[in-house]
């Protein structure tokens, strides 16, 4: 009787564990689909606002606008967007999986790692979302829908840099548009903090237009995305300079890396790193050899 109760209790625990794992994985898979859709939607909206509202309003005369040339601002914006989208595509094009492993390891129920990944050996992780073994896995990026590792770390960092710059530039032009078109004043530092709640109230009162409210909302979207990307960029550059990954830091694993920080950065950005700063092109040979992962462990 005692053995039967113990077995029933164990079965209930396992059932609860698998149900919890299924729920978590379902949420992560949903986020893995929603995040890229959100990114592309925000990108399309940014394009439309820039070319249909911001630039025509702020630079009505191409050559005599006081804020600068309309062509110059257009080219600069396209340059930022080209690099942001180009590095985004390169991050997806060069995934971080190991080409030497095709089998799918089975994660133990007692795995101490996060629900989305299972640590193997020598800097290798099995990502449960990608269903692949990842070499030098740093983290799973939901905005790109794949893992960031040894092959695509440079593209991810450059994607964060240019996305942050694009959001900052859009934020500046959005504030200028609201100032010129709707005579809003941003001289008071508290204006930006109270802008969204006041604008929402004025919209429902019929005082302001839907376009003005939408632009105000996008200001906060650009600010949020820009700050998040800037934070990711600083974190990843610091980890790369230390020769460490985010997975290793989460596990409390100290990396005995004797290479100088310059060499660690060169391993990721390549010898043609200057070219990689202005164009989303490959500047370092991608390596799939498992022995490279052992340098980090």
């Amino acid at each position: 009787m005692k053995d039967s109760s113990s077995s029933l209790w164990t079965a209930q625990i396992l059932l609860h564990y698998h149900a919890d794992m299924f729920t978590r994985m379902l949420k992560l898979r949903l986020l893995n689909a929603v995040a890229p859709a959100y990114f592309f939607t925000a990108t399309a909206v940014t394009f439309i606002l820039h070319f249909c509202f911001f630039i025509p309003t702020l630079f009505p005369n191409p050559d005599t606008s006081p804020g600068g040339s309309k062509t110059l601002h257009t080219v600069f914006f396209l340059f930022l967007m080209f690099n942001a989208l180009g590095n985004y595509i390169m991050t997806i094009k060069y995934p971080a999986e190991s080409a030497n492993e095709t089998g799918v390891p089975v994660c133990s129920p007692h795995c101490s790692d996060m629900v989305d990944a299972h640590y193997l050996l020598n800097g290798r992780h099995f990502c449960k979302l990608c269903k692949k073994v990842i070499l030098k896995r740093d983290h799973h990026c939901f905005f790109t829908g794949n893992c960031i590792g040894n092959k695509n770390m440079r593209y991810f960092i450059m994607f964060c840099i240019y996305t942050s710059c694009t959001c900052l530039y859009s934020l500046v032009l959005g504030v200028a548009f609201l100032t010129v078109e709707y005579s809003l004043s941003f001289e008071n530092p508290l204006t930006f903090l109270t802008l969204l709640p006041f604008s929402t109230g004025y919209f429902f009162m019929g005082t302001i237009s839907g376009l003005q409210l939408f632009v105000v909302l996008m200001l906060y979207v650009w600010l949020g995305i820009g700050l998040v990307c800037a934070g990711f960029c600083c974190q990843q550059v610091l980890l790369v300079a230390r020769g460490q990954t985010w997975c290793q830091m989460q596990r409390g694993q100290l990396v005995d890396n004797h290479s100088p920080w310059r060499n660690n950065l060169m391993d990721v950005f390549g010898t043609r790193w200057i070219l990689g700063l202005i164009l989303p092109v490959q500047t370092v040979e991608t390596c799939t050899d498992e022995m490279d992962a052992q340098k980090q462990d």
Side-chain angles (χ1 to χ4, degrees):
M1 191 69 172
K2 184 176 180 180
D3 292 339
S4 177
S5 300
S6 178
S7 300
L8 181 61
W9 181 74
T10 303
Q12 290 177 345
I13 292 179
L14 289 176
L15 182 62
H16 176 74
Y17 170 79
H18 287 296
D20 184 57
M21 287 285 292
F22 176 79
T23 303
R24 292 184 182 181
M25 287 298 298
L26 185 62
K27 292 179 180 178
L28 291 176
R29 293 188 185 282
L30 180 62
L31 180 61
N32 210 39
V34 171
Y38 170 77
F39 172 76
F40 282 116
T41 301
T43 301
V45 170
T46 302
F47 261 104
I48 294 173
L49 287 177
H50 269 268
F51 290 106
C52 295
F53 297 99
F54 293 174
I55 292 181
T57 301
L58 299 175
F59 312 104
N61 300 317
D63 300 324
T64 60
S65 300
S69 171
K70 177 179 180 179
T71 303
L72 178 62
H73 283 271
T74 302
V75 171
F76 182 66
F77 173 73
L78 290 177
F79 170 76
L80 293 178
M81 291 299 294
F82 171 75
N83 276 277
L85 291 175
N87 283 286
Y88 181 87
I89 294 173
M90 295 292 278
T91 303
I92 300 175
K93 181 181 178 181
Y94 292 98
E97 73 264 16
S98 171
N100 296 336
E101 295 187 64
T102 57
V104 178
V106 178
C107 183
S108 168
H110 305 290
C111 176
S112 59
D113 281 306
M114 295 179 62
V115 67
D116 64 321
H118 174 45
Y119 178 73
L120 301 178
L121 291 173
N122 300 327
R124 292 148 49 248
H125 286 76
F126 169 67
C127 179
K128 303 172 187 176
L129 294 174
C130 296
K131 298 292 185 181
K132 297 173 183 177
V133 176
I134 308 300
L135 185 62
K136 293 184 183 178
R137 182 184 188 269
D138 187 87
H139 68 282
H140 183 92
C141 176
F142 291 97
F143 279 101
T144 60
N146 66 351
C147 281
I148 307 301
N150 68 316
K151 293 182 182 180
N152 54 8
M153 176 60 73
R154 186 192 75 81
Y155 309 119
F156 176 75
I157 293 176
M158 297 308 301
F159 160 70
C160 290
I161 291 177
Y162 277 102
T163 300
S164 180
C165 292
T166 303
C167 290
L168 176 61
Y169 183 68
S170 301
L171 182 65
V172 172
L173 287 190
V175 169
F177 173 79
L178 292 174
T179 303
V180 172
E181 186 72 11
Y182 299 102
S183 301
L184 291 181
S185 176
F186 290 86
E187 294 181 358
N188 190 340
L190 297 178
T191 300
F192 196 84
L193 298 178
T194 59
L195 186 60
L196 182 59
F198 282 169
S199 298
T200 304
Y202 290 148
F203 172 75
F204 285 107
M205 292 171 58
T207 307
I208 66 174
S209 64
L211 175 61
Q212 182 177 347
L213 176 62
F214 185 74
V215 173
V216 169
L217 179 61
M218 287 304 299
L219 293 183
Y220 288 88
V221 172
W222 288 324
L223 178 64
I225 295 178
L227 291 178
V228 169
C229 289
F232 265 117
C233 176
C234 294
Q235 171 187 279
Q236 295 306 135
V237 170
L238 179 61
L239 288 174
V240 169
R242 294 167 56 183
Q244 193 177 25
T245 65
W246 176 252
C247 280
Q248 290 171 331
M249 190 174 69
Q250 278 190 317
R251 291 174 56 84
Q253 183 178 0
L254 297 177
V255 179
D256 188 16
N257 192 304
H258 300 288
S259 300
W261 62 271
R262 294 176 183 268
N263 292 351
N264 293 331
L265 290 176
M266 196 68 67
D267 289 340
V268 172
F269 288 91
T271 55
R272 300 178 296 160
W273 60 272
I274 297 181
L275 180 63
L277 293 179
I278 58 176
L279 290 175
V281 295
Q282 186 174 343
T283 59
V284 63
E285 292 295 330
T286 57
C287 180
T288 58
D289 191 359
E290 300 292 336
M291 295 301 295
D292 283 352
Q294 296 179 2
K295 296 180 181 178
Q296 279 199 327
D297 274 20

